[in-house]
């Protein structure tokens, strides 16, 4: 109990520490052009206030006029590679479509200045609302301020922007990291050698790292023997190659007990390297979940035994709903964190599980009613016709 309290205090202190800011560079991708005037303030008076967890109350609620039209939404993404990003994009598209709108995806391919350019393009085109995925405040603050001045609402995910009026959502990265690390510590009984895969400059990874640092303090008999990591257009392959090099450096069985890989692209690569080297005694503790991840984790003797995750499509749905609430003139919180779950392979049945049915096996999985206003059912019903 005393140790737990010490850890909590340490974590809270570290959370306040500043993040580092390295960024990879990459190519750009040009977006298609969009144009539409924002209808943000039109029906503020008619809109209803809701809490983030408010559940829907039927499809007969009055739809605020500001959202009762085909809105143009821009999604400004730092990158779109990997299964997390593809599920997230599907979630954005599905929710916006249900509301009768259109979402334009702007992918900056890991280039922050391109991301800022995309934000500027969306503002110039007068979109009705802006969603930001990843990126850093230093690159985007100016554009976000301009969007807000022009009455274009902004909702961010996995970003460190804290501007007044912006709603920032996350997967609660601190809980994600602690959930999987706690399992790791228990599985090796608080003692052993571990490898850490990490790259700086990405808000969720920076937050997870805060917990990792606290974890090492909390478990002095767990030693980090190697660390590597980079985020690229082929993160999984890069991680695999880097893990292969680590395995060559530590060839004896038992010299590495576990790997903490707090991003599924890291975990996939590391798992492949371990499998190919026949070192299945090394266990992998990851973050994130997808159909592909589930398949890898459920394979016989898979080293990847635990992951902590939310449903990326649901993250996207929550972000879109907050944006529509803002457009409708409703109050939204400054911050909102989805509740992640820990998924142990041992909790899953023998038969293959997919993202569609993982909730049947993992308690607390999903939060489908977050950021749902009563009129959203009516809007969805109308657009389903
Ligand atoms: C490079 S950042 C990768 C992370 O972004 C999302 O938060 C996913 O959880 C992924 O792990």
């Amino acid at each position: 109990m005393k140790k737990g309290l010490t850890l909590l205090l340490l974590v809270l202190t570290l959370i306040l520490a500043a993040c580092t800011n390295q960024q990879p560079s990459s190519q750009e991708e040009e977006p298609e052009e969009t144009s539409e005037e924002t209808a943000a303030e039109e029906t503020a008076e008619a809109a209803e206030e809701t809490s983030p967890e408010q559940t829907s109350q039927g499809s007969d609620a009055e739809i605020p006029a500001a959202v009762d039209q085909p809105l143009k939404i821009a999604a400004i993404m730092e990158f779109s590679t990997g299964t997390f990003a593809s599920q997230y994009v599907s979630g954005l598209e599905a929710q916006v479509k249900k509301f009768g709108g259109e979402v334009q995806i702007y992918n900056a391919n890991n280039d922050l200045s391109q991301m800022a350019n995309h934000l500027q393009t969306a503002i110039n085109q007068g979109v009705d609302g802006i969603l930001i995925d990843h990126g850093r405040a230093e690159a985007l603050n100016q554009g976000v301020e301009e969007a807000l001045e022009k009455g274009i609402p902004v909702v961010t995910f996995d970003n460190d922007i804290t501007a007044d009026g912006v709603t920032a959502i996350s997967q609660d990265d601190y809980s994600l990291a602690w959930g999987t690390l706690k399992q790791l510590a228990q599985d090796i009984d608080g003692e052993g050698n571990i490898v850490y895969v990490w790259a700086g400059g990405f808000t969720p990874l920076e937050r997870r790292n805060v917990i990792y640092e606290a974890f090492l303090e909390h478990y002095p008999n767990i030693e980090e023997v190697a660390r590597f990591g980079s985020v690229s257009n082929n993160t999984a392959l890069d991680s695999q190659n880097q893990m292969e090099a680590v395995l060559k450096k530590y060839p004896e069985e038992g010299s590495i007990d576990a790997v903490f890989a707090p991003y599924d692209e890291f975990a996939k690569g590391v798992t492949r390297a371990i499998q190919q080297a026949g070192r299945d005694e090394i266990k992998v503790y990851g973050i994130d979940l997808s159909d592909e991840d589930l398949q890898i984790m459920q394979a016989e003797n898979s080293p990847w035994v635990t992951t902590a995750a939310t449903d990326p499509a649901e993250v996207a749905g929550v972000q879109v709903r907050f944006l529509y609430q803002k457009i409708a003139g409703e109050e939204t919180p400054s911050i909102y964190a989805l509740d992640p779950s820990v998924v142990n392979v041992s909790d899953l049945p023998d038969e293959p599980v997919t993202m569609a049915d993982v909730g049947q096996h993992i308690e607390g999985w999903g939060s489908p009613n977050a950021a749902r206003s009563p009129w959203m059912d009516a809007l969805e019903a109308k657009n389903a016709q």
Side-chain angles (χ1 to χ4, degrees), residues 196-224:
Y196 180 35
V197 192
W198 186 73
F202 296 89
T203 300
L205 298 186
E206 295 287 354
R207 291 171 176 160
R208 293 166 199 177
N209 186 58
V210 169
I211 296 301
Y212 176 71
E213 298 294 344
F215 163 86
L216 288 182
E217 291 279 331
H218 191 58
Y219 295 106
N221 296 328
I222 295 180
E223 194 190 340
E224 178 190 304

PDB file of all heavy atoms in Angstrom, residues 196-224:
ATOM      1  N   TYR A 196      13.152  -2.366 -23.844  1.00  0.00           N
ATOM      2  CA  TYR A 196      12.132  -1.313 -23.989  1.00  0.00           C
ATOM      3  C   TYR A 196      12.177  -0.763 -25.410  1.00  0.00           C
ATOM      4  O   TYR A 196      13.241  -0.372 -25.901  1.00  0.00           O
ATOM      5  CB  TYR A 196      12.448  -0.200 -22.981  1.00  0.00           C
ATOM      6  CG  TYR A 196      11.514   0.988 -22.956  1.00  0.00           C
ATOM      7  CD1 TYR A 196      10.144   0.851 -23.181  1.00  0.00           C
ATOM      8  CD2 TYR A 196      12.010   2.264 -22.658  1.00  0.00           C
ATOM      9  CE1 TYR A 196       9.305   1.955 -23.126  1.00  0.00           C
ATOM     10  CE2 TYR A 196      11.167   3.374 -22.590  1.00  0.00           C
ATOM     11  CZ  TYR A 196       9.821   3.205 -22.820  1.00  0.00           C
ATOM     12  OH  TYR A 196       8.982   4.290 -22.764  1.00  0.00           O
ATOM     13  N   VAL A 197      11.020  -0.724 -26.065  1.00  0.00           N
ATOM     14  CA  VAL A 197      10.935  -0.154 -27.414  1.00  0.00           C
ATOM     15  C   VAL A 197      10.205   1.177 -27.307  1.00  0.00           C
ATOM     16  O   VAL A 197       9.066   1.232 -26.806  1.00  0.00           O
ATOM     17  CB  VAL A 197      10.168  -1.102 -28.377  1.00  0.00           C
ATOM     18  CG1 VAL A 197      10.352  -0.628 -29.812  1.00  0.00           C
ATOM     19  CG2 VAL A 197      10.636  -2.541 -28.217  1.00  0.00           C
ATOM     20  N   TRP A 198      10.828   2.236 -27.781  1.00  0.00           N
ATOM     21  CA  TRP A 198      10.238   3.565 -27.569  1.00  0.00           C
ATOM     22  C   TRP A 198      10.828   4.583 -28.540  1.00  0.00           C
ATOM     23  O   TRP A 198      11.967   4.463 -28.975  1.00  0.00           O
ATOM     24  CB  TRP A 198      10.507   4.028 -26.125  1.00  0.00           C
ATOM     25  CG  TRP A 198       9.817   5.311 -25.753  1.00  0.00           C
ATOM     26  CD1 TRP A 198       8.485   5.482 -25.512  1.00  0.00           C
ATOM     27  CD2 TRP A 198      10.424   6.607 -25.602  1.00  0.00           C
ATOM     28  NE1 TRP A 198       8.225   6.798 -25.208  1.00  0.00           N
ATOM     29  CE2 TRP A 198       9.408   7.510 -25.258  1.00  0.00           C
ATOM     30  CE3 TRP A 198      11.736   7.078 -25.718  1.00  0.00           C
ATOM     31  CZ2 TRP A 198       9.634   8.856 -25.030  1.00  0.00           C
ATOM     32  CZ3 TRP A 198      11.976   8.427 -25.497  1.00  0.00           C
ATOM     33  CH2 TRP A 198      10.928   9.302 -25.146  1.00  0.00           C
ATOM     34  N   ALA A 199      10.040   5.582 -28.895  1.00  0.00           N
ATOM     35  CA  ALA A 199      10.526   6.713 -29.701  1.00  0.00           C
ATOM     36  C   ALA A 199       9.933   7.989 -29.116  1.00  0.00           C
ATOM     37  O   ALA A 199       8.734   8.033 -28.811  1.00  0.00           O
ATOM     38  CB  ALA A 199      10.098   6.553 -31.155  1.00  0.00           C
ATOM     39  N   GLY A 200      10.745   9.026 -28.975  1.00  0.00           N
ATOM     40  CA  GLY A 200      10.274  10.286 -28.393  1.00  0.00           C
ATOM     41  C   GLY A 200       9.546  11.160 -29.403  1.00  0.00           C
ATOM     42  O   GLY A 200       9.594  10.920 -30.617  1.00  0.00           O
ATOM     43  N   GLY A 201       8.853  12.159 -28.896  1.00  0.00           N
ATOM     44  CA  GLY A 201       8.237  13.158 -29.774  1.00  0.00           C
ATOM     45  C   GLY A 201       6.793  12.891 -30.147  1.00  0.00           C
ATOM     46  O   GLY A 201       6.196  13.678 -30.888  1.00  0.00           O
ATOM     47  N   PHE A 202       6.239  11.795 -29.657  1.00  0.00           N
ATOM     48  CA  PHE A 202       4.823  11.488 -29.928  1.00  0.00           C
ATOM     49  C   PHE A 202       4.089  11.541 -28.589  1.00  0.00           C
ATOM     50  O   PHE A 202       4.449  10.803 -27.658  1.00  0.00           O
ATOM     51  CB  PHE A 202       4.678  10.102 -30.575  1.00  0.00           C
ATOM     52  CG  PHE A 202       5.339  10.025 -31.928  1.00  0.00           C
ATOM     53  CD1 PHE A 202       6.666   9.666 -32.036  1.00  0.00           C
ATOM     54  CD2 PHE A 202       4.641  10.367 -33.078  1.00  0.00           C
ATOM     55  CE1 PHE A 202       7.299   9.632 -33.274  1.00  0.00           C
ATOM     56  CE2 PHE A 202       5.259  10.331 -34.320  1.00  0.00           C
ATOM     57  CZ  PHE A 202       6.595   9.959 -34.426  1.00  0.00           C
ATOM     58  N   THR A 203       3.093  12.376 -28.497  1.00  0.00           N
ATOM     59  CA  THR A 203       2.446  12.624 -27.209  1.00  0.00           C
ATOM     60  C   THR A 203       2.057  11.339 -26.467  1.00  0.00           C
ATOM     61  O   THR A 203       2.372  11.192 -25.282  1.00  0.00           O
ATOM     62  CB  THR A 203       1.234  13.564 -27.407  1.00  0.00           C
ATOM     63  OG1 THR A 203       1.736  14.780 -27.971  1.00  0.00           O
ATOM     64  CG2 THR A 203       0.534  13.869 -26.098  1.00  0.00           C
ATOM     65  N   PRO A 204       1.392  10.367 -27.124  1.00  0.00           N
ATOM     66  CA  PRO A 204       1.015   9.169 -26.358  1.00  0.00           C
ATOM     67  C   PRO A 204       2.230   8.388 -25.869  1.00  0.00           C
ATOM     68  O   PRO A 204       2.219   7.864 -24.743  1.00  0.00           O
ATOM     69  CB  PRO A 204       0.191   8.338 -27.353  1.00  0.00           C
ATOM     70  CG  PRO A 204       0.513   8.871 -28.707  1.00  0.00           C
ATOM     71  CD  PRO A 204       0.869  10.317 -28.513  1.00  0.00           C
ATOM     72  N   LEU A 205       3.279   8.338 -26.688  1.00  0.00           N
ATOM     73  CA  LEU A 205       4.473   7.591 -26.262  1.00  0.00           C
ATOM     74  C   LEU A 205       5.198   8.329 -25.141  1.00  0.00           C
ATOM     75  O   LEU A 205       5.754   7.710 -24.224  1.00  0.00           O
ATOM     76  CB  LEU A 205       5.415   7.341 -27.445  1.00  0.00           C
ATOM     77  CG  LEU A 205       4.834   6.492 -28.585  1.00  0.00           C
ATOM     78  CD1 LEU A 205       5.909   6.196 -29.632  1.00  0.00           C
ATOM     79  CD2 LEU A 205       4.250   5.181 -28.074  1.00  0.00           C
ATOM     80  N   GLU A 206       5.181   9.656 -25.184  1.00  0.00           N
ATOM     81  CA  GLU A 206       5.782  10.443 -24.092  1.00  0.00           C
ATOM     82  C   GLU A 206       5.031  10.156 -22.783  1.00  0.00           C
ATOM     83  O   GLU A 206       5.650   9.987 -21.734  1.00  0.00           O
ATOM     84  CB  GLU A 206       5.712  11.942 -24.403  1.00  0.00           C
ATOM     85  CG  GLU A 206       6.538  12.388 -25.607  1.00  0.00           C
ATOM     86  CD  GLU A 206       8.039  12.386 -25.348  1.00  0.00           C
ATOM     87  OE1 GLU A 206       8.452  12.153 -24.215  1.00  0.00           O
ATOM     88  OE2 GLU A 206       8.796  12.615 -26.309  1.00  0.00           O
ATOM     89  N   ARG A 207       3.719  10.108 -22.857  1.00  0.00           N
ATOM     90  CA  ARG A 207       2.930   9.863 -21.640  1.00  0.00           C
ATOM     91  C   ARG A 207       3.181   8.449 -21.114  1.00  0.00           C
ATOM     92  O   ARG A 207       3.293   8.230 -19.900  1.00  0.00           O
ATOM     93  CB  ARG A 207       1.444  10.069 -21.941  1.00  0.00           C
ATOM     94  CG  ARG A 207       1.113  11.541 -22.198  1.00  0.00           C
ATOM     95  CD  ARG A 207      -0.301  11.721 -22.712  1.00  0.00           C
ATOM     96  NE  ARG A 207      -0.628  13.139 -22.861  1.00  0.00           N
ATOM     97  CZ  ARG A 207      -1.618  13.598 -23.624  1.00  0.00           C
ATOM     98  NH1 ARG A 207      -2.383  12.765 -24.315  1.00  0.00           N
ATOM     99  NH2 ARG A 207      -1.853  14.894 -23.694  1.00  0.00           N
ATOM    100  N   ARG A 208       3.257   7.482 -22.022  1.00  0.00           N
ATOM    101  CA  ARG A 208       3.510   6.095 -21.592  1.00  0.00           C
ATOM    102  C   ARG A 208       4.899   5.979 -20.958  1.00  0.00           C
ATOM    103  O   ARG A 208       5.108   5.207 -20.028  1.00  0.00           O
ATOM    104  CB  ARG A 208       3.369   5.153 -22.802  1.00  0.00           C
ATOM    105  CG  ARG A 208       1.936   5.098 -23.308  1.00  0.00           C
ATOM    106  CD  ARG A 208       1.780   4.469 -24.684  1.00  0.00           C
ATOM    107  NE  ARG A 208       0.484   4.861 -25.243  1.00  0.00           N
ATOM    108  CZ  ARG A 208       0.056   4.536 -26.459  1.00  0.00           C
ATOM    109  NH1 ARG A 208       0.807   3.795 -27.254  1.00  0.00           N
ATOM    110  NH2 ARG A 208      -1.132   4.945 -26.870  1.00  0.00           N
ATOM    111  N   ASN A 209       5.830   6.768 -21.480  1.00  0.00           N
ATOM    112  CA  ASN A 209       7.191   6.729 -20.957  1.00  0.00           C
ATOM    113  C   ASN A 209       7.253   7.235 -19.512  1.00  0.00           C
ATOM    114  O   ASN A 209       8.062   6.763 -18.715  1.00  0.00           O
ATOM    115  CB  ASN A 209       8.106   7.569 -21.849  1.00  0.00           C
ATOM    116  CG  ASN A 209       9.549   7.447 -21.444  1.00  0.00           C
ATOM    117  OD1 ASN A 209      10.097   6.359 -21.423  1.00  0.00           O
ATOM    118  ND2 ASN A 209      10.159   8.560 -21.086  1.00  0.00           N
ATOM    119  N   VAL A 210       6.398   8.181 -19.179  1.00  0.00           N
ATOM    120  CA  VAL A 210       6.340   8.688 -17.793  1.00  0.00           C
ATOM    121  C   VAL A 210       6.067   7.517 -16.850  1.00  0.00           C
ATOM    122  O   VAL A 210       6.701   7.370 -15.793  1.00  0.00           O
ATOM    123  CB  VAL A 210       5.224   9.759 -17.667  1.00  0.00           C
ATOM    124  CG1 VAL A 210       4.955  10.091 -16.212  1.00  0.00           C
ATOM    125  CG2 VAL A 210       5.604  11.010 -18.452  1.00  0.00           C
ATOM    126  N   ILE A 211       5.134   6.673 -17.241  1.00  0.00           N
ATOM    127  CA  ILE A 211       4.786   5.517 -16.404  1.00  0.00           C
ATOM    128  C   ILE A 211       5.915   4.487 -16.399  1.00  0.00           C
ATOM    129  O   ILE A 211       6.217   3.887 -15.367  1.00  0.00           O
ATOM    130  CB  ILE A 211       3.465   4.881 -16.913  1.00  0.00           C
ATOM    131  CG1 ILE A 211       2.315   5.879 -16.764  1.00  0.00           C
ATOM    132  CG2 ILE A 211       3.155   3.579 -16.179  1.00  0.00           C
ATOM    133  CD1 ILE A 211       2.065   6.356 -15.343  1.00  0.00           C
ATOM    134  N   TYR A 212       6.542   4.317 -17.558  1.00  0.00           N
ATOM    135  CA  TYR A 212       7.652   3.353 -17.619  1.00  0.00           C
ATOM    136  C   TYR A 212       8.765   3.760 -16.657  1.00  0.00           C
ATOM    137  O   TYR A 212       9.314   2.925 -15.939  1.00  0.00           O
ATOM    138  CB  TYR A 212       8.178   3.252 -19.055  1.00  0.00           C
ATOM    139  CG  TYR A 212       9.382   2.359 -19.175  1.00  0.00           C
ATOM    140  CD1 TYR A 212       9.255   0.969 -19.029  1.00  0.00           C
ATOM    141  CD2 TYR A 212      10.644   2.889 -19.397  1.00  0.00           C
ATOM    142  CE1 TYR A 212      10.364   0.146 -19.110  1.00  0.00           C
ATOM    143  CE2 TYR A 212      11.760   2.069 -19.484  1.00  0.00           C
ATOM    144  CZ  TYR A 212      11.621   0.694 -19.339  1.00  0.00           C
ATOM    145  OH  TYR A 212      12.716  -0.121 -19.414  1.00  0.00           O
ATOM    146  N   GLU A 213       9.087   5.052 -16.647  1.00  0.00           N
ATOM    147  CA  GLU A 213      10.148   5.526 -15.743  1.00  0.00           C
ATOM    148  C   GLU A 213       9.751   5.259 -14.283  1.00  0.00           C
ATOM    149  O   GLU A 213      10.578   4.851 -13.471  1.00  0.00           O
ATOM    150  CB  GLU A 213      10.417   7.028 -15.951  1.00  0.00           C
ATOM    151  CG  GLU A 213      10.924   7.409 -17.348  1.00  0.00           C
ATOM    152  CD  GLU A 213      12.312   6.861 -17.670  1.00  0.00           C
ATOM    153  OE1 GLU A 213      13.015   6.456 -16.735  1.00  0.00           O
ATOM    154  OE2 GLU A 213      12.674   6.834 -18.863  1.00  0.00           O
ATOM    155  N   ALA A 214       8.490   5.494 -13.972  1.00  0.00           N
ATOM    156  CA  ALA A 214       8.012   5.241 -12.603  1.00  0.00           C
ATOM    157  C   ALA A 214       8.060   3.745 -12.278  1.00  0.00           C
ATOM    158  O   ALA A 214       8.395   3.341 -11.159  1.00  0.00           O
ATOM    159  CB  ALA A 214       6.588   5.763 -12.449  1.00  0.00           C
ATOM    160  N   PHE A 215       7.747   2.938 -13.272  1.00  0.00           N
ATOM    161  CA  PHE A 215       7.766   1.467 -13.119  1.00  0.00           C
ATOM    162  C   PHE A 215       9.176   0.983 -12.743  1.00  0.00           C
ATOM    163  O   PHE A 215       9.352   0.166 -11.832  1.00  0.00           O
ATOM    164  CB  PHE A 215       7.287   0.866 -14.445  1.00  0.00           C
ATOM    165  CG  PHE A 215       7.591  -0.576 -14.676  1.00  0.00           C
ATOM    166  CD1 PHE A 215       6.730  -1.570 -14.205  1.00  0.00           C
ATOM    167  CD2 PHE A 215       8.710  -0.957 -15.399  1.00  0.00           C
ATOM    168  CE1 PHE A 215       7.003  -2.905 -14.444  1.00  0.00           C
ATOM    169  CE2 PHE A 215       8.983  -2.286 -15.644  1.00  0.00           C
ATOM    170  CZ  PHE A 215       8.132  -3.271 -15.165  1.00  0.00           C
ATOM    171  N   LEU A 216      10.186   1.529 -13.446  1.00  0.00           N
ATOM    172  CA  LEU A 216      11.565   1.109 -13.145  1.00  0.00           C
ATOM    173  C   LEU A 216      11.956   1.494 -11.716  1.00  0.00           C
ATOM    174  O   LEU A 216      12.668   0.760 -11.038  1.00  0.00           O
ATOM    175  CB  LEU A 216      12.552   1.745 -14.139  1.00  0.00           C
ATOM    176  CG  LEU A 216      12.538   1.194 -15.568  1.00  0.00           C
ATOM    177  CD1 LEU A 216      13.603   1.902 -16.412  1.00  0.00           C
ATOM    178  CD2 LEU A 216      12.750  -0.310 -15.614  1.00  0.00           C
ATOM    179  N   GLU A 217      11.470   2.661 -11.282  1.00  0.00           N
ATOM    180  CA  GLU A 217      11.745   3.091  -9.900  1.00  0.00           C
ATOM    181  C   GLU A 217      11.071   2.152  -8.905  1.00  0.00           C
ATOM    182  O   GLU A 217      11.619   1.823  -7.859  1.00  0.00           O
ATOM    183  CB  GLU A 217      11.172   4.499  -9.670  1.00  0.00           C
ATOM    184  CG  GLU A 217      11.890   5.603 -10.421  1.00  0.00           C
ATOM    185  CD  GLU A 217      13.156   6.027  -9.698  1.00  0.00           C
ATOM    186  OE1 GLU A 217      13.191   5.901  -8.460  1.00  0.00           O
ATOM    187  OE2 GLU A 217      14.103   6.453 -10.379  1.00  0.00           O
ATOM    188  N   HIS A 218       9.865   1.763  -9.268  1.00  0.00           N
ATOM    189  CA  HIS A 218       9.050   0.963  -8.362  1.00  0.00           C
ATOM    190  C   HIS A 218       9.569  -0.463  -8.238  1.00  0.00           C
ATOM    191  O   HIS A 218       9.371  -1.108  -7.209  1.00  0.00           O
ATOM    192  CB  HIS A 218       7.611   0.956  -8.898  1.00  0.00           C
ATOM    193  CG  HIS A 218       6.603   0.402  -7.943  1.00  0.00           C
ATOM    194  ND1 HIS A 218       6.403   0.907  -6.687  1.00  0.00           N
ATOM    195  CD2 HIS A 218       5.724  -0.623  -8.082  1.00  0.00           C
ATOM    196  CE1 HIS A 218       5.441   0.229  -6.094  1.00  0.00           C
ATOM    197  NE2 HIS A 218       5.024  -0.717  -6.907  1.00  0.00           N
ATOM    198  N   TYR A 219      10.181  -0.968  -9.308  1.00  0.00           N
ATOM    199  CA  TYR A 219      10.686  -2.349  -9.306  1.00  0.00           C
ATOM    200  C   TYR A 219      12.200  -2.336  -9.529  1.00  0.00           C
ATOM    201  O   TYR A 219      12.673  -2.576 -10.645  1.00  0.00           O
ATOM    202  CB  TYR A 219      10.002  -3.184 -10.399  1.00  0.00           C
ATOM    203  CG  TYR A 219       8.515  -3.366 -10.177  1.00  0.00           C
ATOM    204  CD1 TYR A 219       7.586  -2.671 -10.947  1.00  0.00           C
ATOM    205  CD2 TYR A 219       8.044  -4.237  -9.190  1.00  0.00           C
ATOM    206  CE1 TYR A 219       6.222  -2.828 -10.737  1.00  0.00           C
ATOM    207  CE2 TYR A 219       6.681  -4.401  -8.973  1.00  0.00           C
ATOM    208  CZ  TYR A 219       5.785  -3.696  -9.752  1.00  0.00           C
ATOM    209  OH  TYR A 219       4.442  -3.852  -9.540  1.00  0.00           O
ATOM    210  N   PRO A 220      12.968  -2.080  -8.485  1.00  0.00           N
ATOM    211  CA  PRO A 220      14.429  -1.962  -8.652  1.00  0.00           C
ATOM    212  C   PRO A 220      15.097  -3.245  -9.130  1.00  0.00           C
ATOM    213  O   PRO A 220      16.221  -3.197  -9.626  1.00  0.00           O
ATOM    214  CB  PRO A 220      14.912  -1.562  -7.245  1.00  0.00           C
ATOM    215  CG  PRO A 220      13.786  -1.898  -6.325  1.00  0.00           C
ATOM    216  CD  PRO A 220      12.536  -1.854  -7.102  1.00  0.00           C
ATOM    217  N   ASN A 221      14.425  -4.383  -9.010  1.00  0.00           N
ATOM    218  CA  ASN A 221      15.038  -5.641  -9.473  1.00  0.00           C
ATOM    219  C   ASN A 221      14.696  -5.964 -10.924  1.00  0.00           C
ATOM    220  O   ASN A 221      15.034  -7.035 -11.424  1.00  0.00           O
ATOM    221  CB  ASN A 221      14.619  -6.805  -8.567  1.00  0.00           C
ATOM    222  CG  ASN A 221      15.150  -6.597  -7.162  1.00  0.00           C
ATOM    223  OD1 ASN A 221      16.232  -6.013  -6.985  1.00  0.00           O
ATOM    224  ND2 ASN A 221      14.398  -7.045  -6.172  1.00  0.00           N
ATOM    225  N   ILE A 222      13.993  -5.038 -11.562  1.00  0.00           N
ATOM    226  CA  ILE A 222      13.760  -5.209 -13.006  1.00  0.00           C
ATOM    227  C   ILE A 222      14.725  -4.263 -13.709  1.00  0.00           C
ATOM    228  O   ILE A 222      14.736  -3.058 -13.463  1.00  0.00           O
ATOM    229  CB  ILE A 222      12.296  -4.892 -13.384  1.00  0.00           C
ATOM    230  CG1 ILE A 222      11.360  -5.910 -12.717  1.00  0.00           C
ATOM    231  CG2 ILE A 222      12.125  -4.905 -14.905  1.00  0.00           C
ATOM    232  CD1 ILE A 222       9.879  -5.698 -13.014  1.00  0.00           C
ATOM    233  N   GLU A 223      15.536  -4.835 -14.581  1.00  0.00           N
ATOM    234  CA  GLU A 223      16.576  -4.026 -15.223  1.00  0.00           C
ATOM    235  C   GLU A 223      16.350  -3.921 -16.736  1.00  0.00           C
ATOM    236  O   GLU A 223      16.099  -4.928 -17.407  1.00  0.00           O
ATOM    237  CB  GLU A 223      17.953  -4.651 -14.957  1.00  0.00           C
ATOM    238  CG  GLU A 223      19.073  -3.702 -15.297  1.00  0.00           C
ATOM    239  CD  GLU A 223      20.444  -4.383 -15.262  1.00  0.00           C
ATOM    240  OE1 GLU A 223      20.553  -5.452 -14.630  1.00  0.00           O
ATOM    241  OE2 GLU A 223      21.368  -3.840 -15.877  1.00  0.00           O
ATOM    242  N   GLU A 224      16.463  -2.698 -17.246  1.00  0.00           N
ATOM    243  CA  GLU A 224      16.389  -2.503 -18.705  1.00  0.00           C
ATOM    244  C   GLU A 224      17.772  -2.803 -19.278  1.00  0.00           C
ATOM    245  O   GLU A 224      18.725  -2.098 -18.985  1.00  0.00           O
ATOM    246  CB  GLU A 224      15.983  -1.062 -19.011  1.00  0.00           C
ATOM    247  CG  GLU A 224      15.940  -0.789 -20.503  1.00  0.00           C
ATOM    248  CD  GLU A 224      15.770   0.702 -20.815  1.00  0.00           C
ATOM    249  OE1 GLU A 224      14.796   1.318 -20.340  1.00  0.00           O
ATOM    250  OE2 GLU A 224      16.638   1.238 -21.528  1.00  0.00           O
TER     251      GLU A 224
END
